[in-house]
Amino acid sequence: MAKDDSASDTGNEKASVVVAHVERQFSVDRPQGKDDELLSPDVRPAAERQLVRRLDSRLLPTIVLIFIMNYIDRTAVTSARLKGLEQDLHLTDIEYSTVLAVLYASYCPAQIPSNMILNRISRPSYYIPACVVIWGLTSALTGVTHNYAGILLCRIFIGLPEAAFYPGAIYLLSRWYTRRELAFRSAILYGGLLISNAFGSLMAAGILSRMEGKLGIRAWRWQGSITITIGFLAFFLLPDYPHNTRWLSPAQRRLAQVRLAEDAGEADEDSSQESAFVGLKLALKDPKVIIFAIMTCAQLVGLGFVNFFPTIAGTLGFSTTVTLLLAAPPWILATIVCCANAWNADRTGERFLHVSVPWWGVILGYIIGVSTMSIGGRYVAMFLMACGYAGFALTLVWVSNAVPRPPAKRSAAIGIVNGFGNIGNLISSYVWKTDWGPDYHPSMIISLSALALSSVLALVIRYMLVSQNKRLERDEMDDMKGAKRERIKEAARLEGLTFEEALERRKGFRYLY
């Protein structure tokens, strides 16, 4: 199990020295002033808790709500099918399937440049909400299409702004929360999607039923209007970065920067030489990023049942209404497991088992599904399968922990891993074929194999990080040059330390595995 050196006695002594220096004074470059007031020993603990609570109450609810709408908008076509989409646009079955799949043609590749842009701009509170408004508007424009070509173009363009959200949200969280806070917050974000799996269809159905015939327009043509409204609200709710968020005081911004600098031993800022393209190049040259990308693709193939969950529930043999009701409890449990798993991951600092064990539960569920067609056995398997997403929820958190600095590299790595990984969703659409129903044994065997591959790759990453930690121990006293030295100097400036003191504190940093 990987834990930060701060868990050791030596780490505690170093941390105490650092905190004392941070709270006592600033460097010559930055004289003490009002923005230092929250760093004093008597007020910092309470101020830090207040800062985190403020972020939790403002940032998290906003991105969870956007994530739910992201899911509903991406799957809106499936709900709209119930309200006459195919008949209104005269779509064939093949054309309808193409409309569903074509979104990923833009959604997957656009995530990398989007995160690179997000890293370079200073106002994510403008960028992310603008993308939300654009995809809501594009989704709404889907309602004015009258043929196959029109809706196909709309689906392609929906994928572009939607690509900005999930990897962008994870990156934004990583700019505010420490490594021991990030997993749980990311799980809360992903819990929004899991709840959407349980109730998304019901929410979409409610919207469709209430809007049917309003202003003489079919209900499915109203999709997107709610997203636009939420996007405009997000302009005022989302933060920017710790150094420039307008709804925090200078002292709170200062505290936020110091927290992150203490967490990694470097300022969470790019040097003048580290452009977005330099970050992309660094990410592509890091073998961990490539292995993470393949691992994520494989796990999404293994978790591809999510798009066919009601169909799998239908194999239990109940009516449509009962089937939809039975499909909800597994996702409710999955949300609870997801948050509990992430909370424990933050508490222990361990990553490999917290990511992989939920996959192993899915593998067990597939084994049960292949072994029996009994109602009880298959329903238990559905619970195990749904809980597998507790592992996926921590994937980008692990990427963020494994590629902590510079931010340009981290943002590119998150985009690469999530963008390439979502190709697994495309592949999985061909894995769960109707011809293989009602038992879906071939589908389960393919998915089981994909998760086994993911587990092996996760183990490889774990050993790579263990090796890198050993290298850190060997190199701790070596001189640092270039961009890395600049970031440590910036951390020293922020925390009121000399360069030597900041370098000494950096010895406490270790990768989480």
Side-chain angles (χ1 to χ4, degrees):
M1 181 176 296
K3 296 184 179 180
D4 293 320
D5 275 4
S6 58
S8 67
D9 292 338
T10 302
N12 284 332
E13 292 173 3
K14 293 174 182 175
S16 299
V17 171
V18 171
V19 170
H21 279 296
V22 168
E23 295 169 342
R24 186 179 68 246
Q25 63 178 14
F26 276 85
S27 64
V28 174
D29 292 348
R30 186 156 187 160
Q32 190 165 351
K34 287 188 176 181
D35 58 352
D36 311 340
E37 60 189 17
L38 298 183
L39 299 179
S40 60
D42 55 333
V43 299
R44 176 168 176 175
E48 194 162 343
R49 287 193 298 270
Q50 183 182 22
L51 174 64
V52 173
R53 281 198 301 268
R54 191 166 186 186
L55 290 169
D56 289 344
S57 63
R58 188 158 179 164
L59 171 57
L60 284 180
T62 304
I63 60 176
V64 168
L65 184 57
I66 294 174
F67 199 18
I68 291 174
M69 295 311 301
N70 177 274
Y71 173 81
I72 291 177
D73 279 354
R74 258 189 293 145
T75 59
V77 173
T78 58
S79 302
R81 191 181 196 183
L82 302 174
K83 287 293 183 177
L85 174 70
E86 287 180 288
Q87 294 77 13
D88 288 354
L89 300 185
H90 311 292
L91 301 179
T92 65
D93 285 342
I94 294 177
E95 288 174 337
Y96 175 76
S97 298
T98 303
V99 166
L100 286 178
V102 76
L103 178 143
Y104 289 97
S106 57
Y107 180 75
C108 291
Q111 295 189 33
I112 300 172
S114 175
N115 253 32
M116 291 169 64
I117 293 171
L118 183 61
N119 177 61
R120 303 312 297 177
I121 63 175
S122 61
R123 296 292 184 189
S125 64
Y126 292 166
Y127 179 71
I128 292 178
C131 290
V132 174
V133 171
I134 291 171
W135 95 53
L137 180 61
T138 309
S139 182
L141 288 175
T142 305
V144 303
T145 59
H146 295 282
N147 53 45
Y148 172 62
I151 195 171
L152 202 64
L153 285 174
C154 282
R155 291 286 289 177
I156 292 173
F157 283 104
I158 285 175
L160 292 173
E162 286 203 357
F165 180 66
Y166 184 60
I170 294 294
Y171 176 68
L172 184 60
L173 289 175
S174 75
R175 293 296 299 264
W176 283 99
Y177 292 103
T178 66
R179 288 173 299 160
R180 288 186 176 273
E181 297 167 345
L182 184 59
F184 183 64
R185 272 73 183 183
S186 300
I188 291 176
L189 168 61
Y190 206 78
L193 176 60
L194 298 180
I195 287 295
S196 295
N197 285 332
F199 302 110
S201 296
L202 295 176
M203 288 187 289
I207 294 170
L208 291 170
S209 62
R210 288 180 178 275
M211 299 307 294
E212 179 67 28
K214 296 291 185 181
L215 301 179
I217 300 174
R218 295 296 301 273
W220 68 269
R221 297 184 183 272
W222 283 98
Q223 292 280 3
S225 57
I226 295 178
T227 302
I228 294 174
T229 302
I230 293 173
F232 279 116
L233 291 174
F235 278 105
F236 305 99
L237 295 173
L238 287 180
D240 292 308
Y241 294 126
H243 70 279
N244 67 340
T245 294
R246 289 158 294 184
W247 42 264
L248 292 178
S249 69
Q252 289 176 317
R253 292 197 294 266
R254 176 73 168 165
L255 175 60
Q257 293 177 76
V258 169
R259 275 168 28 92
L260 294 179
E262 287 179 354
D263 187 50
E266 298 179 4
D268 196 25
E269 297 177 6
D270 294 313
S271 72
S272 58
Q273 294 85 24
E274 292 164 339
S275 66
F277 288 101
V278 169
L280 176 62
K281 184 178 178 181
L282 289 172
L284 290 172
K285 290 172 65 176
D286 191 335
K288 297 193 301 295
V289 175
I290 306 304
I291 297 173
F292 266 124
I294 299 172
M295 182 195 80
T296 303
C297 181
Q299 74 164 309
L300 285 178
V301 172
L303 299 174
F305 64 85
V306 63
N307 295 318
F308 304 89
F309 205 72
T311 302
I312 297 172
T315 64
L316 298 177
F318 295 100
S319 66
T320 301
T321 301
V322 173
T323 295
L324 289 175
L325 291 174
L326 288 175
W331 293 113
I332 296 173
L333 176 64
T335 304
I336 297 172
V337 170
C338 182
C339 293
N341 184 56
W343 175 83
N344 190 256
D346 276 342
R347 184 171 176 270
T348 61
E350 201 281 333
R351 291 294 181 260
F352 168 71
L353 291 176
H354 287 84
V355 169
S356 300
V357 168
W359 300 343
W360 302 343
V362 180
I363 290 175
L364 178 59
Y366 285 145
I367 293 173
I368 295 173
V370 169
S371 304
T372 181
M373 285 296 291
S374 69
I375 294 175
R378 285 225 151 191
Y379 197 47
V380 169
M382 288 172 60
F383 278 90
L384 291 171
M385 291 160 64
C387 290
Y389 271 89
F392 178 74
L394 296 184
T395 299
L396 292 189
V397 174
W398 198 11
V399 173
S400 180
N401 295 152
V403 190
R405 300 291 188 273
K409 179 183 178 182
R410 184 171 79 239
S411 64
I414 291 172
I416 291 169
V417 171
N418 202 61
F420 184 84
N422 267 279
I423 296 175
N425 282 323
L426 277 176
I427 298 173
S428 67
S429 65
Y430 298 96
V431 171
W432 293 85
K433 299 195 297 187
T434 305
D435 294 344
W436 289 346
D439 52 25
Y440 292 101
H441 286 174
S443 306
M444 294 184 180
I445 292 172
I446 293 172
S447 300
L448 185 155
S449 302
L451 289 176
L453 173 60
S454 296
S455 299
V456 172
L457 294 176
L459 186 62
V460 170
I461 293 170
R462 182 183 187 277
Y463 280 113
M464 291 176 70
L465 293 173
V466 169
S467 176
Q468 286 187 325
N469 279 348
K470 291 179 179 178
R471 191 179 307 126
L472 281 175
E473 293 175 2
R474 293 193 302 266
D475 297 343
E476 276 174 346
M477 297 306 295
D478 292 350
D479 291 335
M480 295 186 180
K481 301 179 181 179
K484 186 174 291 186
R485 185 181 183 90
E486 287 185 24
R487 287 194 299 274
I488 296 176
K489 282 185 176 180
E490 176 64 11
R493 185 187 67 80
L494 286 171
E495 300 175 34
L497 305 174
T498 65
F499 176 76
E500 290 72 19
E501 289 168 340
L503 189 60
E504 180 69 18
R505 182 178 67 74
R506 180 175 163 76
K507 294 181 182 180
F509 174 79
R510 292 295 182 271
Y511 293 101
L512 301 181
Y513 56 83

